[in-house]
Amino acid sequence: MTELPDDVRDLAALELRAAQVQDWSIAGDSFTWTLLAGDSDRGHELATVTYVGAVVLHTNRRDLDRAVAAAAEVEHAEIRRTEDGGFEHRVTLVPAYPVVVRFWSVEVRRMPAPDHLRRER
């Protein structure tokens, strides 16, 4: 995808394959989740992603709670531009179910994480 704003480029730069859902929250028009990305060879990091002007589709609070409890992992993630000028982050979690977040802007915070945070599924 060309000509992405800096904030969306930061999201696209995350390597989310096999990242585990650690936590999530919804406040006002923002959706935030924290994902444990990486592996024992490259090292792990916690990526906290906050989508602003967010609408979460194809899932509900119960499913998100289950994703945390089950240490659900990202199977696939992609970013698409929407017709109205916003963006969608399309994420498929294993066990396989889709999460689509429509948003206007995003903030990505990354920090190193210890290997022991990775949970067995």
Side-chain angles (χ1 to χ4, degrees):
M1 190 180 280
T2 60
E3 301 301 318
L4 291 175
D6 289 343
D7 61 334
V8 179
R9 227 184 347 242
D10 289 345
L11 177 61
L14 285 175
E15 176 53 57
L16 294 180
R17 181 115 174 106
Q20 287 185 331
V21 180
Q22 299 291 301
D23 193 22
W24 68 273
S25 66
I26 295 175
D29 73 342
S30 295
F31 171 70
T32 300
W33 60 356
T34 301
L35 302 157
L36 180 67
D39 58 38
S40 56
D41 292 334
R42 294 178 291 145
H44 287 96
E45 70 176 347
L46 285 172
T48 301
V49 181
T50 301
Y51 308 87
V52 179
V55 176
V56 182
L57 306 170
H58 305 299
T59 193
N60 57 46
R61 291 174 184 268
R62 186 181 65 238
D63 289 340
L64 290 167
D65 285 341
R66 273 191 256 171
V68 171
E73 295 182 358
V74 175
E75 181 178 63
H76 177 76
E78 68 178 308
I79 299 168
R80 293 185 182 173
R81 194 177 292 272
T82 60
E83 291 179 13
D84 60 4
F87 296 91
E88 284 185 349
H89 195 199
R90 297 173 164 264
V91 179
T92 302
L93 298 175
V94 176
Y97 59 87
V99 176
V100 176
V101 183
R102 288 191 180 149
F103 65 97
W104 291 100
S105 64
V106 64
E107 178 187 348
V108 177
R109 294 183 314 274
R110 300 165 81 163
M111 63 183 260
D115 291 346
H116 75 268
L117 289 181
R118 185 148 195 90
R119 297 174 287 150
E120 293 299 317
R121 292 184 50 229

